[in-house]
Amino acid sequence: MQSLLTEQMRLLMIVVLCGLLWSLESVVPLYRFQNSRVRHALPNVALTLLLVLTNLALSFSSASLAEFSVRHGIGLFFIADLSAWSQAVLGVLALDLFAYFAHVLLHKSWLGWQFHRVHHSESTVDVTTAFRQHPGESVWRILWQLAAILIFGIPLWVVIVYLVLAGLNAQMEHANIRMNGNLDRFLRLIVVTPHMHKVHHSRDQRETDSNYSNIFSFWDRLFGTYTPEIDFGKLRYGLDGFDDKERQSLRGLLKMPFISYTRA
Ligand SMILES: [Zn+2]
Ligand SMILES: [Zn+2]
């Protein structure tokens, strides 16, 4: 599995899906934004490149930790003699649960929110928003992945499978596409759909403080943070006080965690 999902193959999958969703956004958009799509995408693409670099720089730590835990039999998964399939399913679930916790804390802690505002200050959410995150947030998320690897003893190939699924679903859930209501309701029994994640990007904080799940939607139901439906006619993306051009430039987004602004 590891040899199939090389870094290059994973990047190629991301680029191909991005192209497909970008095209689909022209055909069945949820919103028709007035701004230039290409100009809007540029800082997001730059942040995506920084995310790739951060992940590359820190990928050795996940690999070493996963190898260490397997070699020494460290982690909850080693209590039972799990098959490869069980390891995959439980490993992906564990990593996604930890991603949920990491995300909730990005909202609930002062420092986490300083960094996570970069993602939420997006006023025209589309596929390029998927990886619009500050490198500081990327490091935080990787630390939670490392914690999951160590606590559960997740093998590296399962971590890679999870990262592929999480990357592809992140693009799906941010894509500016209108989904069939029945299909959306069916899919979100298991996974986070584009309509479900859009609620989390609402400018209304009561809606922002819900739908934190990453791949699997049931974490929000389990922890009581689920908002099922909102009126897409009234939904507004973004954060008050962060709309101006300077703050939305790449420089402004990189500086955003280090400026003080209190939410009203
Ligand atoms: Zn968030
Ligand atoms: Zn998002």
Side-chain angles (χ1 to χ4, degrees):
M1 186 65 75
Q2 257 165 270
S3 50
L4 273 175
L5 296 172
T6 56
E7 296 278 359
Q8 293 91 327
M9 182 56 76
R10 286 157 58 193
L11 272 177
L12 184 67
M13 287 162 81
I14 294 286
V15 171
V16 169
L17 185 63
C18 183
L20 284 173
L21 291 170
W22 176 276
S23 312
L24 208 56
E25 285 175 339
S26 306
V27 185
V28 280
L30 181 59
Y31 295 106
R32 291 202 179 275
F33 300 125
Q34 300 304 315
N35 57 353
S36 153
R37 291 180 73 194
V38 174
R39 199 174 312 132
H40 153 259
L42 289 176
N44 291 354
V45 171
L47 286 175
T48 301
L49 291 175
L50 280 176
L51 172 66
V52 171
L53 290 176
T54 312
N55 272 307
L56 278 176
L58 294 177
S59 59
F60 73 92
S61 52
S62 309
S64 325
L65 199 61
E67 196 200 338
F68 176 82
S69 71
V70 168
R71 190 158 8 104
H72 296 281
I74 296 169
L76 294 173
F77 288 180
F78 290 98
I79 293 172
D81 187 18
L82 296 176
S83 66
W85 271 107
S86 309
Q87 280 186 345
V89 173
L90 293 175
V92 166
L93 282 170
L95 285 162
D96 204 51
L97 175 63
F98 272 48
Y100 172 89
F101 293 144
H103 190 186
V104 170
L105 285 170
L106 284 168
H107 282 260
K108 301 298 176 194
S109 67
W110 177 85
L111 188 61
W113 182 243
Q114 290 289 113
F115 284 89
H116 195 45
R117 290 188 304 196
V118 172
H119 187 66
H120 279 273
S121 64
E122 172 72 288
S123 59
T124 52
V125 174
D126 68 9
V127 64
T128 68
T129 313
F131 306 117
R132 172 191 160 112
Q133 69 186 41
H134 196 279
E137 177 179 333
S138 308
V139 171
W140 171 251
R141 288 182 177 275
I142 290 169
L143 287 175
W144 277 83
Q145 279 166 22
L146 294 178
I149 292 169
L150 195 63
I151 291 169
F152 295 96
I154 304 169
L156 183 60
W157 70 271
V158 176
V159 178
I160 292 174
V161 168
Y162 176 75
L163 292 177
V164 169
L165 294 175
L168 298 179
N169 200 55
Q171 291 183 293
M172 281 295 297
E173 65 196 34
H174 289 92
N176 179 38
I177 50 175
R178 182 174 292 280
M179 278 188 76
N180 172 282
N182 289 331
L183 177 63
D184 182 88
R185 276 187 286 279
F186 174 70
L187 289 177
R188 72 161 70 178
L189 290 173
I190 303 290
V191 292
V192 177
T193 61
H195 286 193
M196 180 178 162
H197 189 67
K198 297 301 176 349
V199 177
H200 183 66
H201 277 270
S202 168
R203 208 170 270 256
D204 181 337
Q205 199 190 335
R206 289 165 302 177
E207 291 164 349
T208 314
D209 290 346
S210 69
N211 296 7
Y212 297 103
S213 295
N214 199 34
I215 296 180
F216 299 113
S217 57
F218 39 75
W219 305 125
D220 279 306
R221 290 195 199 85
L222 197 65
F223 294 108
T225 52
Y226 178 50
T227 300
E229 301 285 339
I230 55 163
D231 182 353
F232 282 114
K234 292 185 182 149
L235 173 64
R236 295 289 172 269
Y237 297 135
L239 288 177
D240 292 342
F242 289 88
D243 292 321
D244 64 82
K245 262 189 179 170
E246 169 54 28
R247 286 196 170 167
Q248 290 303 316
S249 66
L250 179 61
R251 211 168 72 109
L253 291 168
L254 288 172
K255 271 169 46 184
M256 200 175 278
F258 312 105
I259 57 166
S260 66
Y261 182 88
T262 312
R263 265 202 283 196

